[in-house]
Amino acid sequence: MTFPPEPPPRRVANIQVTPELMAKSASALRLALGYAESMLGQGLDGVGRTQDLAAIKAGAHGERRAMRLWLYDMACDTARLAQNSALDHLRSLPADLTREPGPVLSHLTLVRVALEAGGMFGYVTERGVDVRLLLARIAGVKIADNLNARNLAATHEGRDPNILAGQERAIRSFESTLAKAGVTHRLHPQGWKVTETELEGHKTKGDIGIGKAAMAFLGEGHPGAYNLLSGGAHSRPWLLGTNETTTPDAGSVIYALSITVGLLTAWLDRWGAYTGNDVGPTVKKVRQPLEIVLQRAAAGDFNRA
């Protein structure tokens, strides 16, 4: 399989899709995830949360402080949901690789969802930025969610006017909360999306750009990864090219494993920066089983039925 615009990170021309490759990949994934979850399962309490809460309390009082603390709790809840979503989809990978018939694109889309969740996690927990920017970001995410729900209710066939009215009330209620917190926002002239949120000079460009956020989370080591993984989700013709197949391609399996190494490493690093935990030893344990499989696959060790 040829992946435009970037090739897989390793030479895979001589790697075959065999039961041993899939079994070893699944076993390595389970082991790596077990190590990762031993840290990530400890939650988000730590220095980052402590610092953010102190900054919010020092910068506002009364109702304004209460509303900002409420927004920050929403950001933390969103981060936890993102982490749970990512781990949930990655837990599905081993079973997906070893099922019969084998996967064609689903293993790529599972990694893509985890990468998008990573983008959301990084977006609302980023270190080294003012907490007011994080509050503006979660405000934009929530506004966008409310608008999407309203727009769906307004355009769906057989729409229930009571549901639409309820969505409109939810939008007005959240706008009131933002005003009390000191967050301002601008909508598209037609009112169908948020174009900017701001809190005391700290601006965002509206709702999260999930592709950009996902790649920022993964880092510079995997250029084009989000586009490639999204190709599987959207059934882009270039993903398969002229090679029509009903079995997984070795290149796509190796690529999924490689991105998973980078994703789990990035997640532990971001989680450690937020909580103040030392994740170095765990990162080594997470990477080792997956990298061993990648190295052995490249050497052709699994090219037997």
Side-chain angles (χ1 to χ4, degrees):
M1 181 184 294
T2 299
F3 288 93
E6 299 287 342
R10 302 171 189 275
R11 186 177 181 83
V12 297
N14 297 320
I15 300 177
Q16 300 173 17
V17 177
T18 64
E20 186 175 11
L21 170 63
M22 305 304 263
K24 293 293 186 182
S25 297
S27 178
L29 281 164
R30 291 189 185 99
L31 190 58
L33 281 169
Y35 288 133
E37 291 187 67
S38 70
M39 291 293 286
L40 301 179
Q42 297 177 27
L44 293 177
D45 289 333
V47 295
R49 179 176 172 83
T50 299
Q51 292 169 352
D52 287 344
L53 290 175
I56 292 171
K57 292 175 181 178
H61 302 278
E63 185 178 50
R64 177 153 295 190
R65 173 194 284 181
M67 292 300 99
R68 291 184 184 184
L69 290 172
W70 183 82
L71 277 177
Y72 187 72
D73 282 344
M74 180 181 292
C76 291
D77 289 342
T78 299
R80 293 187 191 96
L81 177 61
Q83 187 163 287
N84 289 336
S85 174
L87 292 173
D88 186 46
H89 283 82
L90 291 178
R91 289 186 201 106
S92 300
L93 260 179
D96 191 56
L97 291 178
T98 54
R99 66 180 171 85
E100 291 292 340
V104 179
L105 298 176
S106 54
H107 54 303
L108 297 178
T109 58
L110 287 169
V111 178
R112 178 219 187 197
V113 173
L115 184 55
E116 287 184 343
M120 180 64 81
F121 182 90
Y123 189 68
V124 297
T125 63
E126 184 179 357
R127 297 297 86 198
V129 301
D130 194 294
V131 69
R132 288 171 291 185
L133 178 61
L134 300 183
L135 297 181
R137 286 177 176 178
I138 191 62
V141 170
K142 180 62 175 177
I143 294 169
D145 286 348
N146 284 340
L147 291 176
N148 287 335
R150 190 273 311 276
N151 295 341
L152 178 62
T155 58
H156 195 277
E157 283 190 28
R159 56 185 178 274
D160 185 336
N162 293 322
I163 294 177
L164 179 58
Q167 296 296 342
E168 293 286 2
R169 286 194 297 272
I171 291 173
R172 302 288 86 78
S173 175
F174 190 65
E175 287 179 338
S176 175
T177 298
L178 294 184
K180 294 173 183 176
V183 178
T184 60
H185 66 283
R186 291 191 300 109
L187 298 181
H188 185 276
Q190 296 180 348
W192 60 280
K193 70 174 182 177
V194 58
T195 59
E196 181 183 88
T197 54
E198 178 180 356
L199 177 55
E200 296 177 352
H202 298 274
K203 298 180 180 181
T204 75
K205 293 183 179 179
D207 189 19
I208 180 175
I210 193 61
K212 184 177 179 180
M215 289 310 301
F217 185 81
L218 191 60
E220 299 178 355
H222 300 278
Y226 184 73
N227 288 339
L228 299 178
L229 298 173
S230 294
H234 297 294
S235 304
R236 295 300 299 269
W238 53 255
L239 190 68
L240 289 176
T242 57
N243 181 25
E244 295 184 5
T245 178
T246 57
T247 59
D249 174 85
S252 68
V253 173
I254 297 304
Y255 195 81
L257 291 183
S258 179
I259 297 300
T260 301
V261 173
L263 175 58
L264 289 176
T265 300
W267 208 298
L268 283 164
D269 285 343
R270 298 292 188 97
W271 180 86
Y274 184 82
T275 62
N277 285 278
D278 178 13
V279 299
T282 301
V283 168
K284 291 180 181 179
K285 291 180 180 179
V286 166
R287 294 180 65 93
Q288 186 177 42
L290 293 169
E291 289 179 342
I292 288 174
V293 167
L294 290 170
Q295 292 164 5
R296 291 188 62 190
D301 290 357
F302 306 135
N303 288 356
R304 54 181 179 271

